[in-house]
Amino acid sequence: MLDVYAFATPNSAKVPIALEEMGLPYTLHSVNVRKGEQKRPDFLRMNPNGKVPVLVDTPESSDPFVLSESAAILVYLAEKTGRLLPASGEERARVFEQLFFHASGLSPAFGQSGFFQRFAAVPQPLAIERFAAEAARTLGVLDGALADRPFVAGEDFTIADIAHFGWLWRRGFPNITFSDTPHVARWYETVEARPAVQRGIARVEALVPQD
């Protein structure tokens, strides 16, 4: 049994997309970060860091395995199924290269840029300028990678594509466009059209309460 605790956030969306691509059944549980539900004691027992998503894998004959951090979850699911991650060699290394670039570069740049533009109690022009520039720079790096290959790590769709897609799906948060990154635009359109990606996005979007 696989249980996913998530909301309609860039990092959360990656897990249902991966599960849909892999054809694994799962139960999706809403953790409304807008109401601070990720800071409740019952959630903090699963992830003391107080962040979504969280995966709980409960085998029939052993205790539940609880895992946080979207990149770690993607790797775990890929290794569990043998899908969306090459088994060895340079192709596998390229996937990890993109996963780490996303986790250390693009994702935090997008997140910080959006935060300082939208939520800072006092406007901080230097922070806004710095993180907006870094978000644009990392997107340009990704565009360069996609200039000579169809997917971010090579010829095949992998968990690295899912990782990047999550934040680019929510690119409006840091006010990012694809106007200067045609290769990213082409790639995004291709990934967005995948039926499993569409199902995963629909699942997390359904977690948002309707006014």
Side-chain angles (χ1 to χ4, degrees), residues 107-161:
S107 177
F110 274 44
Q112 294 289 357
S113 180
F115 172 83
F116 282 107
Q117 291 181 56
R118 296 174 181 273
F119 298 133
V122 177
Q124 300 184 41
L126 180 61
I128 292 172
E129 180 181 356
R130 168 179 166 74
F131 287 111
E134 185 63 4
R137 187 192 71 81
T138 54
L139 188 65
V141 172
L142 184 62
D143 194 63
L146 286 163
D148 60 0
R149 55 200 191 212
F151 296 103
V152 300
E155 295 298 315
D156 298 318
F157 179 82
T158 68
I159 55 173
D161 295 282

Side-chain angles (χ1 to χ4, degrees), residues 14 17 98 101-102 106 110 138-139 142-171 176 178 181-194 197:
K14 303 169 190 177
I17 289 173
Q98 284 296 323
F101 166 61
H102 179 81
L106 190 145
F110 274 44
T138 54
L139 188 65
L142 184 62
D143 194 63
L146 286 163
D148 60 0
R149 55 200 191 212
F151 296 103
V152 300
E155 295 298 315
D156 298 318
F157 179 82
T158 68
I159 55 173
D161 295 282
I162 296 174
H164 281 304
F165 183 85
W167 260 111
L168 295 178
W169 168 60
R170 282 289 189 244
R171 64 192 179 277
I176 288 290
F178 296 151
T181 52
H183 305 298
V184 172
R186 180 267 307 162
W187 165 85
Y188 184 88
E189 183 177 352
T190 298
V191 175
E192 185 182 40
R194 296 175 69 93
V197 172

Side-chain angles (χ1 to χ4, degrees), residues 12-131:
S12 287
K14 303 169 190 177
V15 180
I17 289 173
L19 289 165
E20 294 289 344
E21 287 281 353
M22 295 168 184
L24 293 175
Y26 62 100
T27 301
L28 189 60
H29 306 270
S30 176
V31 180
N32 192 331
V33 300
R34 298 175 185 174
K35 296 181 178 180
E37 292 178 358
Q38 77 279 19
K39 304 300 183 183
R40 291 180 177 176
D42 57 341
F43 186 82
L44 291 174
R45 282 193 290 271
M46 291 190 294
N47 182 12
N49 196 32
K51 303 286 186 181
V52 290
V54 168
L55 175 75
V56 181
D57 187 355
T58 308
E60 293 183 1
S61 58
S62 62
D63 294 333
F65 175 65
V66 182
L67 187 63
S68 62
E69 297 298 328
S70 59
I73 294 170
L74 291 176
V75 173
Y76 174 75
L77 292 173
E79 293 186 334
K80 180 183 180 73
T81 61
R83 298 192 58 193
L84 304 183
L85 177 64
S88 62
E90 293 179 2
E91 292 179 346
R92 182 181 177 90
R94 288 294 178 207
V95 173
F96 281 104
E97 178 182 50
Q98 284 296 323
L99 280 176
F100 296 156
F101 166 61
H102 179 81
S104 66
L106 190 145
S107 177
F110 274 44
Q112 294 289 357
S113 180
F115 172 83
F116 282 107
Q117 291 181 56
R118 296 174 181 273
F119 298 133
V122 177
Q124 300 184 41
L126 180 61
I128 292 172
E129 180 181 356
R130 168 179 166 74
F131 287 111

Side-chain angles (χ1 to χ4, degrees), residues 6-9 30-32 34 169-170 201-211:
F7 199 60
T9 67
S30 176
V31 180
N32 192 331
R34 298 175 185 174
W169 168 60
R170 282 289 189 244
I201 292 297
R203 291 289 305 272
V204 293
E205 287 183 332
L207 297 177
V208 179
Q210 301 300 311
D211 295 333

